[in-house]
Amino acid sequence: MTKPAAGAAASPAVAERDIRASDADRDRVAEILREALAEGRLDPEEHAERIDTVYRAKTLGELEPVVQDLPAAGGRGPRPDPGGYASGPGAPVPDQNLVAIFSAAVRKGRWRAPARINAVAFFGSVEIDLTEAVFPQQQIQINVTAVFGSVEIRVPENITLRSSGSGILGSFEVETHDAEDTDAPQVLVNGYAVLGSVEAKPKRGAWIRDLRDRLRQGHRELRQQVWEEHREYRQQLREDRREWHERRRSERRERRDPFRKDMDG
């Protein structure tokens, strides 16, 4: 066997335009088209044609021409979906404060988790459930202060959970865990417990990928709805054009009839 010569060019990588388009890529381009329609840059028929192209596109290169003449594109072609755990494009989520003073504070269900959460329990209890949360960024920091109170944190099984907190005459128990996926979100729990308790651990059976699948299903249903609406719209346009042509032909016949009668007479 012969070794390749030094400095020989490696096999070329796949060009970005040839990368397969993801659902998120198509949704981003569709959003640009919706804004262009609202601003009057596209008429309804052009919008319908381009939306049809978007949802038939297989690669990023097929998506680029659809928005290259629109300022909303900002000179950027669609980027490949990193396949991570984010919910999609959106404004940064502001920090959230959960304070329980002789009371209880709970945050759970489907929500967009911010990069920083501050939890304070003073003779009260705070519950933070991230098992159904959407992670717009990879790292979330939870700062905890528990004084004669308790803070309970639950996270999905397939994320990284770490801690640098301590207990002072109290308990600070964090079940640290490293996810197998290096791109998985990381939750860092910091703070202290004074005559109180802090507990953070994965919730068995709760996987963040399940939520991502549900989001993808929601995108598919939305695309199907948009497709049906545009198909009905295009059908209506065709019918309107046929009616318009029929009226024009009828008007031309009416204008020609008097001349024919005069010639026959």
Side-chain angles (χ1 to χ4, degrees), residues 118-141:
N118 301 310
V120 178
F122 184 77
F123 287 96
S125 64
V126 175
E127 179 185 352
I128 303 173
D129 190 339
L130 295 168
T131 56
E132 292 188 62
V134 179
F135 291 73
Q137 60 283 315
Q138 188 178 21
Q139 188 175 91
I140 292 179
Q141 180 172 323

Side-chain angles (χ1 to χ4, degrees), residues 211-238:
L211 177 59
R212 184 174 59 176
D213 291 342
R214 290 197 296 272
L215 289 173
R216 286 179 174 174
Q217 177 63 27
H219 288 155
R220 284 194 291 269
E221 293 175 356
L222 177 60
R223 288 198 303 274
Q224 182 64 28
Q225 180 181 353
V226 171
W227 171 256
E228 292 294 336
E229 290 175 354
H230 282 291
R231 186 174 63 179
E232 294 175 1
Y233 176 75
R234 290 195 298 271
Q235 179 66 26
Q236 184 63 44
L237 283 178
R238 287 194 290 269

